Amino acid sequence: MLVRGRALSLVLAFIGATFITVAPLASPALAAGPKVAIIVGPVGSLTDSYRTSADRVATKAAAAGATVVKVYSPNATWANVRAAVNGANVIVYYGHGNGTPNPYSGWTELTDRVNGWGLNTSTANGDADSWSAGSLVYCGEKALFGTLGSSDGAAQRTHCSGGPITPAPGFTMVYAQAHYAPGFGERYVQATPVTTLAEAQGRVRNYSYPILALGGTFLATAYSDAQDIVERVLTQSTTTFGDIFRQGRGYSASTLTAAAHPDVAGAEYWVQQTTISGFHFGEPDYWYAFAGNPNATPAGGSGPRLPFSDIASSPFIGDIAWIAEQGITNGCGNGQYCPSATVTRDQMASFIARALSLPAATTDYFPDDAGTIFEADINRLAAAGITNGCGDGLYCPTRPVTRDQMASFIARALSLPAATANYFSDDAGSIHEADINRLATAGISNGCAGGLYCPLDAVTREQMAAFLHRALD
């Protein structure tokens, strides 16, 4: 795995704070408001479709009150692009991507040409996109930082020099349809191996680094929804970037992997494996990614910090945050919640005892809970008549809680009224059927899909958070 030797503070110190006045390359949509710069690099015969997609971004941005500057191939040279992104609050890039790891240099990172933009070398070459013929140049990370030197590529020194880019503080960078930026690579034949998680994380880590080092937030998509992402950034200025990402067309909570960014303190990088029909033979790849502070907002503020480090990818993140705020849970230890772990009967006692602030019990009801940290909570539940144990005078504290058992725990705890309807087809014969129907009547559970309740499935900790939130809020 690549190890970076660059220090963020040195990069920021080098860049400085010069602001250059630039004449727009297209008429601004409005005279005021945030600035959105849209780049379309040369991609041969695909360039027209990219320009059309970029125009959709421009329309949404203008409607949101932004000043829009377009710099489209064949005019997307480094000088024009650098001028266009000066002072931009949002930058959108359509074009060829070049990242690491790749089939050509493996994990060796050539930072003069990767993690940046594929641009025209001249306005006279149309949409030709051949780097070998000299019509396309990859202006990489060093070009963005303005640190190209004599040891870097001749094409980069010739066509990408001239100082760093200077977007607005706290800008947002959106990569649309660019290889490597969201994690996917070049897979033109099905025999090419599917991208691994390590490769996807490496690519997003590397591609996002210059954006984060310049003070921005990074989003990358292959879902043809850049216009929607930009609209959310412009119109949901106090919504966290994490929640903006979750609204994306390609968001997949079940496959998302979130991790601390190795190169930028306080930042995370998120990758996820999904399928897009017609892309890469219909097989999963990494099409949507985020990097930055997920609790930051486009307005420069901060939303509520996540109470646990392992819940960013949970579809029940809001429910988990709510029960933490209410003091119902302290997590599973080490700052984590363990969302996919199974709820045990002793943990269930703790959830309910805290949620209802049950008084302390003076009786020890069960002989098999000695030593568990939740013994006092188990006794509180028994004293309140919420549990009679698991039979034979025992509580079975470490046994998993099933969905039908959970229904009885909550129905008794809240004294829910009897139900007059039978909601599910798969709970007939369960001793908890009446309680399951009471939960459904109260809107606490809609079942597990298809008119079923899945009564014998174990309850996970993230599901438990949702049940408690619905029951108590």
Side-chain angles (χ1 to χ4, degrees), residues 237-303:
S237 61
T238 59
T239 299
T240 66
F241 278 108
D243 284 339
I244 286 173
F245 178 84
R246 293 183 190 96
Q247 296 175 56
R249 189 180 304 173
Y251 176 58
S252 171
S254 63
T255 66
L256 187 146
T257 300
H261 200 291
D263 308 309
V264 182
E268 297 181 9
Y269 66 135
W270 299 0
V271 299
Q272 53 177 46
Q273 190 180 50
T274 51
T275 300
I276 300 179
S277 178
F279 282 22
H280 287 194
F281 315 99
E283 296 174 334
D285 214 322
Y286 292 84
W287 305 114
Y288 188 42
F290 162 83
N293 178 357
N295 301 305
T297 69
S302 179

Side-chain angles (χ1 to χ4, degrees), residues 19-28 35-37 67-72 75 78-87:
F19 189 92
I20 304 171
T21 303
V22 179
L25 301 180
S27 298
K35 178 179 177 180
V36 176
T67 297
V68 178
V69 178
K70 302 178 183 179
V71 55
Y72 293 178
N75 297 311
W78 172 251
N80 287 342
V81 165
R82 184 169 168 268
V85 304
N86 181 42

Side-chain angles (χ1 to χ4, degrees), residues 112-332:
D112 60 339
R113 65 201 67 182
V114 299
N115 309 332
W117 307 324
L119 304 177
N120 303 103
T121 57
S122 167
T123 59
N125 294 325
D127 297 327
D129 61 344
S130 172
W131 63 267
S132 59
S135 58
L136 166 74
V137 62
Y138 287 110
C139 295
E141 179 177 308
K142 284 188 172 182
L144 302 185
F145 287 149
T147 58
L148 286 166
S150 59
S151 62
D152 296 312
Q156 283 68 36
R157 287 184 283 112
T158 300
H159 300 292
C160 307
S161 294
I165 62 169
T166 53
F171 73 102
T172 303
M173 179 74 223
V174 180
Y175 279 98
Q177 312 298 118
H179 277 87
Y180 298 101
F184 74 94
E186 299 171 63
R187 191 162 181 256
Y188 304 117
V189 295
Q190 195 167 10
T192 301
V194 174
T195 304
T196 67
L197 174 61
E199 288 171 334
Q201 287 183 307
R203 290 164 180 168
V204 173
R205 168 193 176 179
N206 296 330
Y207 230 117
S208 65
Y209 172 74
I211 302 305
L212 272 55
L214 289 164
T217 296
F218 172 97
L219 291 142
T221 182
Y223 276 87
S224 301
D225 63 338
Q227 70 275 7
D228 299 323
I229 294 172
V230 170
E231 181 182 43
R232 287 194 292 272
V233 169
L234 294 174
T235 61
Q236 300 181 29
S237 61
T238 59
T239 299
T240 66
F241 278 108
D243 284 339
I244 286 173
F245 178 84
R246 293 183 190 96
Q247 296 175 56
R249 189 180 304 173
Y251 176 58
S252 171
S254 63
T255 66
L256 187 146
T257 300
H261 200 291
D263 308 309
V264 182
E268 297 181 9
Y269 66 135
W270 299 0
V271 299
Q272 53 177 46
Q273 190 180 50
T274 51
T275 300
I276 300 179
S277 178
F279 282 22
H280 287 194
F281 315 99
E283 296 174 334
D285 214 322
Y286 292 84
W287 305 114
Y288 188 42
F290 162 83
N293 178 357
N295 301 305
T297 69
S302 179
R305 294 191 63 82
L306 296 182
F308 306 108
S309 63
D310 60 344
I311 66 172
S313 59
S314 172
F316 302 103
I317 181 174
D319 301 306
I320 297 168
W322 186 86
I323 65 170
E325 182 181 350
Q326 301 302 313
I328 297 170
T329 183
N330 294 317
C332 62

Side-chain angles (χ1 to χ4, degrees), residues 1-25:
M1 175 67 73
L2 170 93
V3 177
R4 290 183 177 273
R6 296 187 287 275
L8 178 59
S9 59
L10 293 178
V11 172
L12 293 176
F14 183 90
I15 291 170
T18 303
F19 189 92
I20 304 171
T21 303
V22 179
L25 301 180

